[in-house]
Amino acid sequence: MSALPRAGELGLIGCPVCGQVCDAAGADGGALACPRCGSTLHRRKPAVYARCWALLIAAFLMYIPANVLPIMRTASLGDIDDNTILSGVVELWVKGSPGLAVIVFCASIMVPMLKFLALGTLLITCRRGSRWARRQRAQLYRLVELIGYWSMLDVFVVALLTALVRFGLFSLVEPLPGVVFFGLTVVLTMFASMCFDPRLIWDGKEDSDD
């Protein structure tokens, strides 16, 4: 069974904003615009590797102080503690909030590390023009996109902590500088994911375009 023709071979290009299928003639010059929404059409996103790597490396650099610097201060019965992400997880667990500790661990450690590994793997394999596990890598990218929404778990954690303060489990919860770096990590990884062009997964080495 012969392979299905690709959009490029049919002279077609999809609008990344509204999904309109357009004639690809002249798209390589970057001057073609979508007739429906007016967005600029590109066969592949321009400079995708440089942008994604820059954002991903910047996110990783921000993730270091996010884990080293204290992220929150808790006070209970006169006992004041400044906690990093990991010590905060332990603190929540010891203070009798294992569910909250698991949420913070997943949102603050598992999710960022998974996004680093997944985006790094996608960038390396696409740059090499690898044909390995294309369908699985496409699913991995969709998973990264889905995880991006779960980065907002931190907002949920803050809401839970506020509720705990109201119910008197903690007398004080105060954010510290580490939370700023962690927020930058989340934002930069989301931008890196948005900059990646999943169509590169289906390109061969000869079709790679940066």
Side-chain angles (χ1 to χ4, degrees):
M1 181 178 177
S2 60
L4 295 174
R6 305 177 63 179
E9 297 169 352
L10 299 175
L12 301 174
I13 188 171
C15 175
V17 177
C18 69
Q20 171 78 11
V21 177
C22 310
D23 187 352
D28 289 339
L32 188 65
C34 174
R36 182 159 66 183
C37 68
S39 300
T40 302
L41 300 177
H42 296 281
R43 182 172 174 271
R44 296 291 180 267
K45 293 180 180 178
V48 59
Y49 292 112
R51 291 184 181 184
C52 286
W53 275 122
L55 289 167
L56 197 60
I57 292 172
F60 185 76
L61 292 177
M62 292 297 103
Y63 193 56
I64 296 174
N67 281 274
V68 174
L69 296 175
I71 196 168
M72 67 179 179
R73 174 173 294 160
T74 59
S76 177
L77 301 176
D79 183 19
I80 300 177
D81 292 316
D82 292 347
N83 295 296
T84 62
I85 293 175
L86 271 178
S87 66
V89 171
V90 174
E91 183 82 7
L92 289 170
W93 187 278
V94 172
K95 291 287 178 69
S97 303
L100 198 55
V102 171
I103 292 174
V104 173
F105 180 80
C106 292
S108 303
I109 296 178
M110 283 188 62
V111 169
M113 293 305 297
L114 180 59
K115 292 179 76 172
F116 288 140
L117 291 174
L119 284 174
T121 300
L122 290 173
L123 287 169
I124 291 172
T125 54
C126 289
R127 187 61 171 175
R128 292 182 174 180
S130 173
R131 298 175 182 272
W132 166 73
R134 285 174 163 174
R135 188 177 302 277
Q136 288 75 15
R137 283 189 288 144
Q139 293 171 344
L140 179 62
Y141 175 71
R142 288 196 287 271
L143 177 62
V144 171
E145 287 283 279
L146 178 65
I147 288 176
Y149 298 110
W150 287 91
S151 298
M152 296 303 292
L153 268 176
D154 286 354
V155 177
F156 180 62
V157 170
V158 172
L160 280 179
L161 287 174
T162 303
L164 288 175
V165 171
R166 285 192 172 187
F167 285 109
L169 297 180
F170 293 110
S171 59
L172 172 68
V173 176
E174 181 181 348
L176 293 178
V179 75
V180 176
F181 291 98
F182 181 77
L184 289 173
T185 301
V186 173
V187 171
L188 289 171
T189 53
M190 290 182 71
F191 282 151
S193 175
M194 292 169 61
C195 285
F196 181 74
D197 192 335
R199 294 172 295 187
L200 293 171
I201 296 172
W202 303 98
D203 286 343
K205 193 168 186 177
E206 67 280 5
D207 298 325
S208 297
D209 181 15
D210 60 354

